[in-house]
């Protein structure tokens, strides 16, 4: 019999890649989903109905629902990926963020204890480089002091410490992956990388005029999400539980990401001005765009406190987990995201054209 995994946050970017990874390894995969007014779960629709793939209604804000699912599934491994994961949104909804991202972790740990699975069930907690926040050293490793700098990061810090506490107090096999930003063609559309690749594709195809961004000078260590889910699994296969930094060790600015994404869709930008006055002007590309401002800054996307210098040191993961941080380069990541969005926008454009034609045909009585 293969192992049984329970994934919270299965509908998210990482949950979908992790599900595919574990199914390929022969796991029975169970996931927690929330009731939503829209029934289509885009990232896992291709897995629903497959043998070994099961979904359960529960919510990280509802202890009883978690206890019920954990008791029913009796998992060998739990991957706690569920979170209100948007840093800017955490300033608008700080209490909800704390409930899910902090107390939610405690609810998982207690559910495992309530079901008497603490000796058998291993737990992965999705921790984050946001813990370093207003960074006290560059690059950041497992020893770097934390300085969380948003309601999201403060909530995640609780999750990190409660996992450590349960490991030491009850001898549970639970660990935190301190993951730096990881992106993909499945990334949520309001995170900066996906916002950029989608806008670049829409601008290239004449469906959008301009992209508005916040802090262009912010630096991130961006990796590919598909590579990172393997680390989550590796952390649960070790002799002893421990916490690991997962990163590429390479850093770029938001501006550099935008520059490269636009180049991939055939548009060259020149950057002019500073701060809120900075602009990305098209110097080469389709004639209709040359000379136009395609990227501008809007203070609407500034954060009350912003984390601006993340760079991870993945030496421990390389050494102890045998993980290769250089599997997908920054250039490959930008290319695969830009290409996926070019195809998505083209398909949406074609569908919209069919709908427009259909409306016209109906109006003219050509189609009845
Ligand atoms: P994501 O795409 O935003 O997915 C978040 C998932 O959490 C979704 O499945 C969401 O469900 C679920 N969720 C939210 N609130 C919930 C609740 N109350 N009960 C149950 N499920 C809930 O995030 P991601 O990028 O895959 O990230 C996965 C985890 O890693 C998160 O914990 C994130 O904070 C952490 N992390 C991410 C990164 C990164 O760069 N991606 C880096 C470090 C850490 P719905 O679909 O129903 O909304
Ligand atoms: N979202 C967004 N939108 N960010 C922008 C924009 C914009 O228009 N313009 C500039 N930025 C800057 C933000 O200020 C931030 O400094 C940086 O781009 C990255 O923002 P996000 O892509 O929203 O990601 P994040 O780093 O705040 O958070 C992500 O990574 C964390 C790991 O470090 C999320 O996935 C978190 O869940 C994760 O923990």
């Amino acid at each position: 019999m293969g192992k049984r995994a329970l994934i919270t946050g299965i509908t998210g970017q990482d949950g979908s890649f992790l599900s595919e990874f574990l199914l390929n390894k022969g796991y029975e995969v169970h996931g927690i989903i929330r009731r939503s007014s829209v029934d289509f779960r885009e990232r896992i629709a291709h897995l629903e109905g497959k043998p070994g793939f099961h979904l359960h209604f529960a919510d990280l804000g509802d202890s009883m629902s978690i206890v019920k699912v954990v008791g029913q599934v009796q998992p060998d491994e739990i991957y706690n990926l569920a979170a209100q994961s948007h840093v800017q949104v955490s300033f608008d909804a700080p209490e909800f963020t704390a409930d899910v991202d902090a107390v939610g972790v405690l609810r998982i740990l207690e559910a495992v204890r309530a079901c008497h699975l603490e000796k058998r069930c291993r737990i992965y907690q999705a921790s984050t480089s946001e813990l370093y926040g207003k960074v006290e050293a560059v690059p950041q490793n497992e020893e770097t002091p934390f300085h969380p700098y948003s309601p999201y990061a403060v909530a995640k810090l609780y999750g990190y410490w409660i996992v450590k506490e349960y490991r030491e107090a009850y001898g549970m096999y639970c660990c935190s992956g301190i993951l730096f930003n990881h992106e993909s063609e499945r990334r949520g559309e309001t995170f900066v990388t996906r916002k950029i690749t989608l806008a670049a594709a829409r601008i290239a195809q004449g469906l959008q005029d301009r992209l508005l961004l916040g802090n262009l000078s912010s630096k991130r260590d961006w990796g590919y999400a598909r590579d990172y889910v393997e680390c989550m699994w590796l952390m649960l296969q070790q002799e002893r539980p421990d916490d690991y930094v997962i990163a590429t060790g390479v850093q770029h600015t938001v501006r550099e990401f935008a520059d490269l994404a636009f180049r991939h869709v055939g548009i060259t930008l020149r950057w002019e001005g500073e701060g809120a006055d900075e602009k990305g002007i098209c110097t080469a590309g389709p004639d209709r765009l040359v000379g136009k401002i395609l990227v501008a800054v809007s203070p609407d996307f500034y954060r009350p406190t912003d984390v601006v210098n993340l760079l991870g040191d993945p030496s421990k993961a390389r050494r102890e987990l045998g993980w290769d941080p250089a599997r997908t380069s920054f250039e490959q990541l930008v290319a695969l995201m830009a290409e996926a969005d070019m195809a998505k926008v083209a398909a949406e454009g074609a569908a919209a054209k069919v709908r427009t034609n259909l409306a016209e045909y109906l109006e003219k009585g050509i189609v009845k």
Side-chain angles (χ1 to χ4, degrees), residues 297-313:
V297 172
S298 163
D300 283 348
F301 299 105
Y302 286 165
R303 297 174 181 179
T305 47
D306 197 11
V307 173
V308 294
N309 195 2
L310 291 180
L311 174 64
D313 171 4

Side-chain angles (χ1 to χ4, degrees), residues 49 53 91 107 124 136 174-175 238 268 303 317 355 367:
F53 188 75
F91 290 96
R107 293 189 182 108
Y124 170 83
E136 298 192 6
C174 42
C175 43
Q238 305 304 304
T268 309
R303 297 174 181 179
R355 279 197 299 279
V367 173

Side-chain angles (χ1 to χ4, degrees), residues 98-114:
D99 190 41
V100 177
D101 298 13
V103 186
V105 186
L106 179 68
R107 293 189 182 108
I108 293 283
L109 295 164
E110 277 296 303
V112 169
R113 293 187 65 226

Side-chain angles (χ1 to χ4, degrees), residues 21-67:
F21 178 86
L22 293 176
L23 285 168
N24 279 338
K25 287 222 165 283
Y27 275 65
E28 189 178 302
V29 173
H30 294 255
I32 282 174
I33 52 168
R34 299 190 284 175
R35 195 266 157 182
S36 159
S37 64
V38 182
D39 251 346
F40 182 58
R41 294 170 280 271
E42 192 180 8
R43 298 188 182 98
I44 56 167
H46 61 295
L47 300 176
E48 292 187 36
K50 277 201 169 185
F53 188 75
H54 310 273
L55 297 176
H56 310 260
F57 281 105
D59 194 299
L60 234 57
D62 179 342
S63 308
M64 282 310 294
S65 72
I66 304 290
V67 173

